[in-house]
Amino acid sequence: LDITFGTNWDGSPGDFSALDDVGKIDNIAFIESNVSNDLLSKLAEVKSMSKLSFESCEIDTDSISNQQWGNIKVLELKNTAVELKLIQAFASIKSLITLEFVNCKIADGTLQSIGDCQNILSLVFKDTEVDSAALKSIEPLANIKYLNLLACKFSTESYRRLKKTRPDINIDFSGQAFFGVRGTPVGMGRPMIIGPDGNFAPPDHSQTGGALISDVIPQSGAAKAGIEIGDIIEFINGESIVQFEDLRLQIAQYRAGETLNVGIIRDGEAMEVEVQLGDANSAPKNKP
């Protein structure tokens, strides 16, 4: 059960006293509301709520730590300027295990305060720019075990650094766009591919970087742009592609409909094509 209090709600904090009678509540959400001390006080008494969401709200952070909260597990903030004071206030809710940030602006140094949330295991960022400083600030947070980057802008270099320094964190990323290829890193271990004549072509080890394309999805942006099996993608919008994961990392940061400038090597010759990204929701199953 999800309950949303939108801009047309004209009730009072006293209305929340009846929510536990409804049964288990997955999410209570507030949209463009002034979340006052009285409202938070009554909201904290709702024991059946597992998730709390605030979208474009003004929140009285001074009162959060003064409440005895129930069993809330997930806090979601949407379209919100996430500042140190806000995170520190919610750190007092001992039952919280997941923080979700959707289309938020994360102030410098804010994520470091998540270390005060001793029970937080999972961080979710969606449609949010996660800069190098933000990813670096996650490194010392020993309790974090899961990190999801959904349709986010982030530094691929910082992403790799975090994976190296914190191998215990399960990091996942995905985007809203569909490029339309499968591939593998270029270099030693490069697989045989089928040439234009239908015969297997031996691997060429002279190329040491890039993403070797082993499959192009029909009607995808890549196919329409003329990308072919055997092409090697070297860069996207000026960002170097060293291995196939780099290609996935880059695509994850763009939206459907955007056009990318893609540099490829074909039969030893460099060329550039423009690829218009499709919608990941309409992509064939299990296709990147």
Side-chain angles (χ1 to χ4, degrees):
L1 178 65
D2 292 338
I3 300 176
T4 299
F5 296 89
T7 55
N8 293 326
W9 176 57
D10 58 1
S12 67
D15 297 340
F16 299 134
S17 60
L19 289 180
D20 277 326
D21 296 333
V22 175
K24 184 180 181 299
I25 301 173
D26 293 321
N27 183 29
I28 293 181
F30 293 88
I31 300 176
E32 297 182 4
S33 300
N34 183 8
V35 185
S36 65
N37 179 41
D38 288 343
L39 191 153
L40 285 167
S41 179
K42 294 296 183 181
L43 193 60
E45 297 175 1
V46 181
K47 306 301 182 184
S48 59
M49 171 180 57
S50 59
K51 181 177 179 179
L52 179 59
S53 300
F54 296 109
E55 179 176 354
S56 304
C57 292
E58 293 290 334
I59 305 172
D60 184 358
T61 57
D62 293 334
S63 66
I64 294 175
S65 59
N66 297 325
Q67 311 301 330
Q68 294 296 320
W69 292 85
N71 300 308
I72 175 176
K73 298 292 190 295
V74 181
L75 172 68
E76 180 185 57
L77 299 173
K78 293 183 179 181
N79 303 321
T80 301
V82 181
E83 300 177 346
L84 183 64
K85 183 179 180 181
L86 184 64
I87 296 301
Q88 289 177 330
F90 282 113
S92 63
I93 304 179
K94 303 303 181 184
S95 58
L96 273 181
I97 59 174
T98 298
L99 292 176
E100 299 182 0
F101 305 99
V102 181
N103 193 24
C104 290
K105 181 175 178 56
I106 310 295
D108 293 342
T110 297
L111 293 185
Q112 295 175 344
S113 65
I114 292 177
D116 297 331
C117 306
Q118 296 298 319
N119 296 321
I120 295 295
L121 302 177
S122 176
L123 295 176
V124 179
F125 298 92
K126 183 176 180 181
D127 292 328
T128 296
E129 183 171 352
V130 186
D131 61 18
S132 300
L135 285 176
K136 187 175 181 179
S137 68
I138 294 174
E139 292 181 25
L141 304 182
N143 50 311
I144 301 298
K145 301 301 178 185
Y146 303 94
L147 172 64
N148 290 340
L149 301 168
L150 310 176
C152 290
K153 289 283 187 182
F154 58 91
S155 164
T156 56
E157 182 179 346
S158 297
Y159 166 86
R160 291 195 186 90
R161 173 187 168 91
L162 182 60
K163 285 191 68 174
K164 182 178 181 179
T165 58
R166 290 295 306 275
D168 58 309
I169 298 180
N170 185 348
I171 307 177
D172 187 25
F173 65 88
S174 62
Q176 299 175 338
F178 171 56
F179 189 79
V181 298
R182 281 183 171 177
T184 183
V186 170
M188 296 303 295
R190 177 176 172 179
M192 303 282 280
I193 64 171
I194 300 176
D197 57 0
N199 297 319
F200 281 102
D204 176 10
H205 296 298
S206 62
Q207 182 79 19
T208 58
L212 171 67
I213 303 306
S214 58
D215 188 20
V216 180
I217 313 305
Q219 303 303 313
S220 67
K224 293 176 180 178
I227 291 179
E228 301 175 357
I229 294 174
D231 286 348
I232 298 171
I233 296 180
E234 283 199 311
F235 66 81
I236 289 181
N237 283 1
E239 293 288 337
S240 297
I241 303 298
V242 179
Q243 53 189 342
F244 192 75
E245 185 185 45
D246 294 338
L247 179 61
R248 295 184 58 240
L249 285 167
Q250 290 298 321
I251 300 304
Q253 301 187 54
Y254 292 93
R255 294 180 176 274
E258 291 190 85
T259 299
L260 307 181
N261 178 252
V262 181
I264 65 175
I265 299 293
R266 178 179 297 167
D267 298 328
E269 295 186 6
M271 57 188 300
E272 296 182 19
V273 297
E274 290 190 345
V275 177
Q276 185 176 41
L277 298 173
D279 188 341
N281 293 325
S282 62
K285 190 175 181 181
N286 297 326
K287 301 295 184 180

